[in-house]
Amino acid sequence: MKLSRLVPGVPARIKRLEVSGELHEKLVGMGFVPGEEIEIVQVAPLGDPFVCKIGNRNITLRKREADLIEVEVVGGELPLILADDGTYEITKLNGGRRFLFRMKNLGIESGKKIQVSGRRYYIEGREIDLGYGEATKIWVRRVSDAGEESHPQK
Amino acid sequence: MPVKSLTRRSEISQKIVKVALAGCPNVGKTSLFNALTGTKQYVANWPGVTVEKKEGVFTYKGYTINLIDLPGTYSLGYSSIDEKIARDYLLKGDADLVIVVADSVNPEQSLYLLLEILEIEKKVILAMTAIDEAKKIGIKIDRYELQKHLGIPVVFTSSVTGEGLEELREKIVEYAQKNTILHRMILDYGEKVESEIKKVENFLRDKKLRINPRYFALKYLSGDPEFYSEGVKLGLPELSEEERIGYRLLIAKRKREYVENVVKEAFADAGSKSLSLSEAIDHVLTHKFLSFPLFFALMYLVFKFTFDIAQVFSDLLDLLFSQLGSAVVNTFGENAFTSLISDGIIGGVGSVLVFTPNIFAMFLALGFLEESGYLPRAAFVMDRIMEKFKLSGRAFMSLILGFGCNVPSIMATRAIDDPRERLVTILITPFISCSARLPVYLLILRIFFPESSAAMLFIIYSLSILITLLSSVVINWLFYRGRTSPLILELPRYRMPTLKNLYIYTWNRGKHFLKKAGTIIFVSAILIWVLSYFPAAGDIENSFSAMIGKSLEWIFKPFGYSWKIVTSLFYGAVAKEVVVSTMSMLYGFEEETFLGAKEALSAEMDPVSAIAFLIFVMAYIPCFATIATIYSETGSLKWTLFSIGYSLSIAYVLSLIVFYVGKLVVMLI
């Protein structure tokens, strides 16, 4: 996954830099080294650039450069928005009362299973319509690969 | 007696220690520099390049210590001019030892830089600054662990409380006397890299390089632009891009691991509390919705401070100078000599000096923004907007300093990596309305817009920013179609600026203005007086100044400006303040100060032509000092001439538009 896709508050690890030359040197000098843990902590008002945290340091970066950095989420849990195709268990819902109320109406609760397939979400075979913001507040843990459990075709 | 003094002198000359101060940007390097040297600082040029170099001197135990402030860099790369200066000086300069400054609360990047500098193999002392803050939030640092792992003396300092400064001075003198490096720490990069290093070292053995072969090998392997090409030139094998990247990553990774290990061993509770406070402030200041309003509110405060609060002092000075002028005439009678003193010198220089409080206030406010650590945040928040104008947040940081003075602002562009973006930033900087233009605005606005001068000032400044940004688009469109350089900055933690640092910041920059008043303005005031008094012995209508003004009057025909205004603009090309001092002389209005000026000028301008005049002054030409800086920083006569021609045409066209639109509006109402 590209660093530019990562959402704030999710710890990830740098896998590799897909860049060469001067920019590579610059990034490496600032600590963008494969293996380092990285987290986005703040996004600028217009959505770009953002601040990411490596170790104890806060470093600014633009989306354009973040596109060149490949990362993977560490730990088992991640927001639904970052989930690749597969089946996941909902672990927590990070939001206010209204958000929780809407999620309950949609049938989204901790412990339930949710399937992801091509940016669409299914619970118990039902397709669920989720916004970007909502999908960042739902945290999940992968339970199995796509295809193991059946879900309706698009 | 002469013999004795001679020996003493030679003794002293042997006891000069040259110390380079290195560190990342915003770690408190300047504070430490100030704490060690006080106000005994001077500015020289780096050898070979006409780039400003800050030095300071202090004496300790009979030693004269010459402290050189290197530009702040995150690592010793070779992309920005700042990095090149710092690295070249460390590699080839004549420093006896190097002090690396690290922030005690957040030391990681500083320690990384330290490891790079250690490989150059100089005598190095590590100064852990802000130790008082680290203690306050409960960070414990084990000095002996640090010394053990790094193999160099470590001193804990605080520029606020003064802790450790004495010890640092002692260490400098003590270490400078030693002939050898205390302990050579060599990082082991693992078998693969080490065997390659051996090969390169063997190859370089008979090449008689002045640079440590191990350092050369490391830089060559990681594909550093300077050392890789030099290595290949010497006959080392060419490496593929993947190989170079591979070595670079291995080397950087090893350094990061080592730093991590040092921090783990030597630091207890690495700064969670202070950082969380800093993050809390950041949460507000870089907030999605709040950051823009807060940014503009801060800017408004800066201007409010500069104009309103300082105005009281300006008015007092104004009164003082006018009293002085009339006192001279009253005491010695009216003749050529008293005219020179009162109209020429007191009137000319005084009319400029009156604005000293405003200018110092402006620098004080800018100093607060810079020292507190807010500027990188402003760069972060504004980056996206700047990108629309083909600039980056980094350019924004230097541009904002231009409100004080364009010269340091142009110098600050050295931290911009991309040479094209740097050039564009230099070329547009003169449109940022510097404090020297303030006297002209304030004079004219107080005459024509006494009720709404603050609002008009705001419009002028907005226009200045707009022209600056649009010029970037124009220059980019004319000459380049490149991308802006990436915005990769470490956000420092917030710091409360100390009074001492603010004082030094304000004084070092403000004194430039005073110096200018005592030199350029003083000399030009006398010159202008001579040109205005002769050849007709005081009959200004037939003076040389009148001839100059009248011969150029046709250019400003559309505006209906008299020759006096034209002459003021002509002389004002030296420095914008001169516009005011020339007017003061030509209209002779210093005798009754403000009222006299009002009468004289309102007879010749109306509010619309006054505004057009201000717009023209805002944009028309960079002052002599700025032109010289543009030339030395770009090293190009072509771009310097471009800057002059471009600004003159923009100023003319723009003020013409403002003039006609203004006339139209007045007609319609």
Side-chain angles (χ1 to χ4, degrees), chain B residues 61 113 202 260 301 486 489 504 520 535 554 659 662:
Chain B
K61 288 194 173 165
L113 177 71
N202 284 335
E260 213 171 285
L301 276 179
L489 299 168
I504 290 177
I520 299 178
W554 58 273
F659 182 75

Side-chain angles (χ1 to χ4, degrees), chain B residues 46 50-53 80-83 85 394 410-417 422 633:
Chain B
W46 290 100
T50 43
V51 162
E52 190 179 90
K53 164 181 170 186
S80 74
I81 294 180
D82 274 348
E83 284 176 336
I85 292 171
R394 190 61 205 69
I410 288 173
M411 286 176 172
T413 60
R414 280 179 216 149
I416 298 173
D417 287 344
R422 174 164 182 263
E633 293 287 318

